[in-house]
Amino acid sequence: MQEYVELGEELVFVAMGIASVIALAVFAERLIYYKKTLGKKNEDYLSEVRNSLQEEPEIHWKTNVGEDSIYHRFLQFALKQLKLGRKGLDESLDGQILSEKLELEKRLPILNTLGNNAPFIGLLGTVLGVIKAFYGLGTLGSSGAEVVMRSISTALLATAAGLAVAIPVVMANNYFSRKAKVILQNLEILKKELLSYQMNKTKV
C-alpha cells in the first residue's frame, strides 16, 4: 500500500508540473493574440472609424493597426457586405461576430479547467501524504516522528502547489474573458453603426 501512496504523491506533483506548463503556454499564446486588438492604436482606430461612420458621407479611415486586428478584420468584412440589404448585412455581421467570439474564447476552457481542478489535485496529494504519515506512525510508532513530519510537510506542499497553479490561472482566465467581452461589445456597437450607415446610404 505504501508504494502506491508514494507513487500517487509523485504523480500529483508531475500533474502539477504539466498543468503549469500547459497554463503558461496557453497564457502566452492568448496574450499574443489579444495584443493585436488591444492598446491605444486599436482604441484610436476604433474611435476614428466610429466618427467617420457618424459624420462623413463615405467611409474613410487610415489603417493604423495591424491586419490581424479584430476590428480591422471585422470592418474589412463589413465593407464587402454593404451591398447586401439591411437584413442580409445584419445576419452577415452577426455571423462574423460569432466567428470572432469563437476565436477570442479559443483555449480559454483549458485555463478554466486547470483553475478549477488544480486545487483538487493538490488536495489529493495532501490526502495521500496524510495517509502516508499515519501509516508511518502506525508502523514505526513514536520512533518514526521524523518520517511522519516529513510526510505531513510533503502533503501540505501538494496543497500549496495546487493553489500556486490555480490562482494565477484563474486570474489569467478572468482577464482574457473580460477583454473578450469588451471586444465583442465594441463589435456589436460597430455592427449597429454600420447598419445605420448602410440604411442612410440606401436612402440617399
Side-chain angles (χ1 to χ4, degrees):
M1 176 182 174
Q2 187 77 348
E3 294 179 358
Y4 292 114
V5 171
E6 291 178 355
L7 177 61
E9 280 188 303
E10 292 178 5
L11 290 176
V12 165
F13 284 105
V14 169
M16 287 291 101
I18 294 173
S20 62
V21 171
I22 293 174
L24 186 60
V26 172
F27 174 79
E29 187 274 335
R30 288 289 86 188
L31 186 63
I32 292 171
Y33 181 81
Y34 274 72
K35 281 292 184 183
K36 297 172 183 177
T37 308
L38 299 174
K40 193 173 185 305
K41 278 188 176 182
N42 282 282
E43 292 174 4
D44 292 343
Y45 176 70
L46 189 60
S47 297
E48 184 180 350
V49 171
R50 292 187 62 194
N51 290 334
S52 67
L53 284 170
Q54 295 170 5
E55 298 173 3
E56 297 179 10
E58 296 292 337
I59 301 178
H60 298 292
W61 60 78
K62 295 180 293 184
T63 306
N64 56 358
V65 295
E67 292 184 359
D68 290 333
S69 169
I70 290 177
Y71 299 139
H72 175 73
R73 186 165 60 243
F74 181 79
L75 288 162
Q76 292 303 310
F77 174 83
L79 284 174
K80 296 176 182 177
Q81 307 300 317
L82 284 176
K83 59 185 178 180
L84 300 175
R86 180 178 176 82
K87 184 178 179 181
L89 180 61
D90 190 4
E91 293 177 352
S92 180
L93 294 182
D94 278 341
Q96 184 65 12
I97 290 175
L98 181 59
S99 176
E100 297 296 352
K101 183 176 186 291
L102 292 174
E103 285 298 319
L104 286 168
E105 295 179 350
K106 191 175 182 181
R107 297 188 181 89
L108 291 187
I110 296 175
L111 294 180
N112 188 46
T113 301
L114 292 177
N116 288 334
N117 291 286
F120 293 107
I121 298 175
L123 182 60
L124 174 61
T126 299
V127 171
L128 292 174
V130 171
I131 292 173
K132 181 180 177 181
F134 279 106
Y135 182 84
L137 184 62
T139 303
L140 302 174
S142 59
S143 62
E146 184 179 345
V147 175
V148 172
M149 295 304 292
R150 280 203 304 266
S151 298
I152 293 176
S153 176
T154 303
L156 295 176
L157 186 60
T159 298
L163 293 175
V165 172
I167 291 173
V169 166
V170 170
M171 292 176 64
N173 185 57
N174 290 341
Y175 171 79
F176 290 128
S177 296
R178 173 59 184 165
K179 292 300 181 183
K181 185 177 180 180
V182 171
I183 292 170
L184 291 171
Q185 286 175 340
N186 285 333
L187 292 182
E188 287 288 346
I189 292 171
L190 278 177
K191 185 195 84 167
K192 293 182 184 300
E193 293 181 346
L194 283 162
L195 287 171
S196 177
Y197 170 83
Q198 194 264 358
M199 184 172 63
N200 292 334
K201 187 176 179 181
T202 303
K203 290 179 180 179
V204 175

